[in-house]
Amino acid sequence: MKKAVVFLLTITVIIALIWLVPALIKLRRQAIKEKPFPLHWEVIIKQNLIFYKHFSPSLRKRLQGHVNVILAEKQFVGCGGLQITEEIKLTIAAISALLLLNERGGYYPKLCEILVYPSAYVVNQVSAVSNYVVQESKVVRLGESWSRDQIVLSWSQIKYDIENWEDGHNVILHEFAHQLDSESGTVNGVPILEQKSDYASWAKVFTREYQQLIKNVKRGAYTVMDEYGITNPAEFFAVATETFFEKPRQMAQHHPLLYNQLKRYYKLEPREWI
Ligand SMILES: [Zn+2]
């Protein structure tokens, strides 16, 4: 009898915690979102996010709220002698917050640290040549997203991307799209969608567009999306995200179905800003 009571009490506490922890996190985030947003922070964001000036007041407020939460929850680490500044943190937070404006509620849950190097950095890459032989080589990287808990970025690449919006490349959008993708448990180009019924049309459109990009790249045709997208479906999703935000008109014209999938997913219409 006593055992049964203890068991029941334990189950009750576990259920209460399962319900309580997310509710407390939500409340805490709501309070952080409401924090005043310093004027000079907004000046930095205006400088580094060219279409911010076209946002409605309510969209600006939402973006600022997300920036507050990202700054409160993520650790920014300067690497290779780089000193983390307000500009670096705000730029990364604001651009990555664009992908959260659909209010799904998650804040890149797997991500703990954002490592920033002054410029391109060199990593040792170990790749298998055969079952018994591995090859080690030095590879220059501009950014990468590790599905566990870190993103690595290059500040000089970020600055280049800021000055060249509309070229279809943005290392922050790319790496944070991988983070969204990883939330489903597998990095395969399919993030968590709103409804179960969304998966079929997503798979249909993305598969067709991915195969089309492979064909176009192989025959040397002009492509709106960067050819890096043919690497695999996960890279295709990251490149499609960059294109959606940086070349929305071209994407909507040449790839309307893909554009509509992303518009539905991000709940945004970037054509209104550019
Ligand atoms: Zn990638």
Side-chain angles (χ1 to χ4, degrees):
M1 186 65 185
K2 213 174 176 183
K3 271 186 184 172
V5 173
V6 171
F7 178 73
L8 272 175
L9 270 174
T10 311
I11 294 291
T12 312
V13 169
I14 289 171
I15 290 172
L17 281 177
I18 289 171
W19 176 84
L20 200 63
V21 171
L24 286 175
I25 291 174
K26 204 174 171 187
L27 274 177
R28 181 179 167 271
R29 282 180 176 160
Q30 198 51 44
I32 295 171
K33 277 186 192 175
E34 298 299 328
K35 275 187 174 176
F37 204 78
L39 197 64
H40 73 280
W41 282 15
E42 199 170 9
V43 172
I44 292 172
I45 291 180
K46 265 184 194 156
Q47 279 166 357
N48 291 350
L49 190 61
I50 54 158
F51 42 71
Y52 181 81
K53 57 180 178 283
H54 300 300
F55 282 10
S56 65
S58 71
L59 197 57
R60 285 183 188 194
K61 180 92 185 119
R62 271 162 55 202
L63 188 93
Q64 290 171 7
H66 292 327
V67 167
N68 276 340
V69 176
I70 291 169
L71 294 182
E73 293 189 359
K74 309 301 175 193
Q75 192 78 28
F76 290 77
V77 183
C79 304
L82 182 77
Q83 199 76 28
I84 293 291
T85 60
E86 265 190 341
E87 185 189 9
I88 294 176
K89 287 206 276 189
L90 283 164
T91 304
I92 295 170
I95 297 173
S96 63
L98 285 173
L99 307 187
L100 305 178
L101 287 170
N102 56 6
E103 307 298 328
R104 257 180 285 95
Y107 283 89
Y108 306 115
K110 293 185 176 177
L111 179 67
C112 299
E113 286 185 327
I114 298 160
L115 275 54
V116 192
Y117 282 81
S119 55
Y121 53 96
V122 177
V123 292
N124 276 330
Q125 184 170 284
V126 180
S127 46
V129 176
S130 70
N131 284 346
Y132 306 102
V133 182
V134 292
Q135 183 180 304
E136 195 172 329
S137 53
K138 294 208 180 297
V139 180
V140 177
R141 295 255 169 93
L142 300 171
E144 60 192 306
S145 176
W146 298 342
S147 52
R148 33 186 199 192
D149 59 358
Q150 286 181 326
I151 271 185
V152 190
L153 297 166
S154 142
W155 178 234
S156 65
Q157 181 62 38
I158 293 170
K159 283 197 287 188
Y160 178 86
D161 291 342
I162 290 166
E163 285 159 17
N164 295 277
W165 276 104
E166 304 184 31
D167 69 354
H169 296 283
N170 188 295
V171 69
I172 299 176
L173 293 174
H174 184 103
E175 302 307 337
F176 280 84
H178 282 320
Q179 284 289 320
L180 291 181
D181 193 359
S182 72
E183 284 176 27
S184 61
T186 328
V187 186
N188 59 358
V190 188
I192 297 172
L193 303 178
E194 198 165 33
Q195 291 168 4
K196 273 189 179 170
S197 55
D198 294 337
Y199 286 91
S201 58
W202 181 281
K204 194 174 162 193
V205 171
F206 271 73
T207 304
R208 193 189 297 159
E209 293 279 351
Y210 174 55
Q211 285 165 354
Q212 191 59 49
L213 184 65
I214 293 173
K215 269 187 204 163
N216 288 344
V217 169
K218 280 186 178 163
R219 66 185 174 92
Y222 166 78
T223 56
V224 176
M225 287 174 59
D226 191 272
E227 61 181 54
Y228 187 64
I230 69 169
T231 309
N232 56 47
E235 295 303 342
F236 183 81
F237 169 62
V239 170
T241 293
E242 291 176 87
T243 316
F244 176 73
F245 283 98
E246 295 225 343
K247 296 158 98 178
R249 289 183 197 283
Q250 284 189 60
M251 191 186 211
Q253 189 186 343
H254 296 278
H255 305 278
L257 296 179
L258 185 59
Y259 185 83
N260 282 338
Q261 286 291 324
L262 291 167
K263 185 178 147 186
R264 195 175 148 92
Y265 174 66
Y266 287 116
K267 294 191 176 149
L268 293 171
E269 178 47 284
R271 279 179 295 182
E272 290 172 0
W273 315 328
I274 290 180

